[in-house]
Amino acid sequence: GENVEQHPSTLSVQEGDSAVIKCTYSDSASNYFPWYKQELGKRPQLIIDIRSNVGEKKDQRIAVTLNKTAKHFSLHITETQPEDSAVYFCAAGGYKLSFGAGTTVTVRA
Amino acid sequence: DAGVTQSPTHLIKTRGQQVTLRCSPKSGHDTVSWYQQALGQGPQFIFQYYEEEERQRGNFPDRFSGHQFPNYSSELNVNALLLGDSALYLCASSSPVTVSGGSTDTQYFGPGTRLTVL
């Protein structure tokens, strides 16, 4: 089955700086790679996703890149703000999603 | 446009009991997936229902079963509860998107049901 590894497990950044989270996956059949943000006590919220026929996607301050050959994908958050503080999860799959263990992001004011 | 809803919000059970959790998908979605999220971990896929059939299943014992109704809502049943079943149970709804290489589902999560087994 699919195995998704996510790094780092914690990330502390100064407000205004960039944050980068990296994930690797094992199953070459995976063709869908979403990222979710989960605040304490709340549901995971989809923030951006990318499909295997695209290498990069951007939505305002958030961007995701995918390297299918190397089986890794990354989330980039620019100009971080305190409200970006949360746990971020990457996932890989198709119908079925396998999730990484999460990255706790803290944005220091 | 209602999002994904789940009930109940919280549930406390004792070992050996059975539990049923419910999910209503987002309007326009016909597929429901269930996940278990233990504290401090990522969600783990339990199974997915489409057209009232279990389409895929994760690595969970058959104590975990489900059902999808004609209106696309779904139930997750867990029998013979163990302490280790304590977790947040998340439902996600989707509608398949077909791209080159196969179909993928953009999944939107409900608020979850927090199950505590004592």
Side-chain angles (χ1 to χ4, degrees):
Chain A
E2 176 65 274
N3 181 44
V4 177
E5 294 192 356
Q6 182 172 346
H7 299 282
S9 57
T10 61
L11 182 59
S12 179
V13 296
Q14 190 69 36
E15 183 177 359
D17 287 350
S18 295
V20 180
I21 303 171
K22 298 183 178 182
C23 290
T24 60
Y25 63 99
S26 60
D27 188 350
S28 57
S30 290
N31 59 5
Y32 177 58
F33 307 91
W35 287 86
Y36 288 87
K37 174 184 179 182
Q38 189 174 29
E39 297 176 38
L40 193 63
K42 296 192 175 180
R43 73 186 77 189
Q45 280 194 299
L46 180 70
I47 56 172
I48 195 167
D49 58 9
I50 191 166
R51 291 183 167 86
S52 60
N53 55 349
V54 175
E56 187 173 351
K57 184 177 178 180
K58 188 174 181 180
D59 182 6
Q60 298 184 344
R61 297 186 296 110
I62 294 173
V64 59
T65 58
L66 171 65
N67 183 328
K68 285 220 74 180
T69 303
K71 294 197 187 72
H72 66 69
F73 56 115
S74 302
L75 177 72
H76 303 252
I77 306 173
T78 59
E79 301 172 19
T80 53
Q81 300 168 5
E83 53 265 37
D84 294 329
S85 296
V87 180
Y88 291 80
F89 293 98
C90 63
Y95 291 136
K96 164 188 171 181
L97 293 178
S98 297
F99 282 77
T103 298
T104 301
V105 174
T106 303
V107 180
R108 307 185 307 272
Chain B
D1 179 22
V4 183
T5 60
Q6 291 185 244
S7 64
T9 305
H10 296 87
L11 207 49
I12 299 174
K13 292 286 188 178
T14 56
R15 280 177 297 175
Q17 286 190 310
Q18 179 265 344
V19 68
T20 297
L21 310 181
R22 295 175 177 83
C23 172
S24 290
K26 184 178 167 65
S27 177
H29 285 182
D30 57 8
T31 302
V32 173
S33 303
W34 286 93
Y35 293 83
Q36 180 195 67
Q37 187 177 25
L39 203 60
Q41 297 182 23
Q44 299 283 316
F45 178 80
I46 302 174
F47 42 53
Q48 184 182 83
Y49 277 84
Y50 173 67
E51 293 187 341
E52 302 180 50
E53 296 285 332
E54 183 183 289
R55 178 160 68 177
Q56 285 222 2
R57 188 178 184 92
N59 189 25
F60 279 80
D62 56 13
R63 296 188 297 111
F64 290 75
S65 63
H67 188 77
Q68 185 178 35
F69 299 94
N71 67 353
Y72 308 123
S73 66
S74 177
E75 289 182 348
L76 164 66
N77 301 292
V78 187
N79 294 322
L81 285 167
L82 304 174
L83 295 179
D85 295 331
S86 295
L88 179 67
Y89 288 84
L90 294 162
C91 159
S93 79
S94 57
S95 189
V97 174
T98 301
V99 297
S100 173
S103 293
T104 66
D105 287 8
T106 299
Q107 298 186 21
Y108 297 91
F109 283 92
T113 294
R114 173 73 61 188
L115 174 64
T116 302
V117 182
L118 302 176

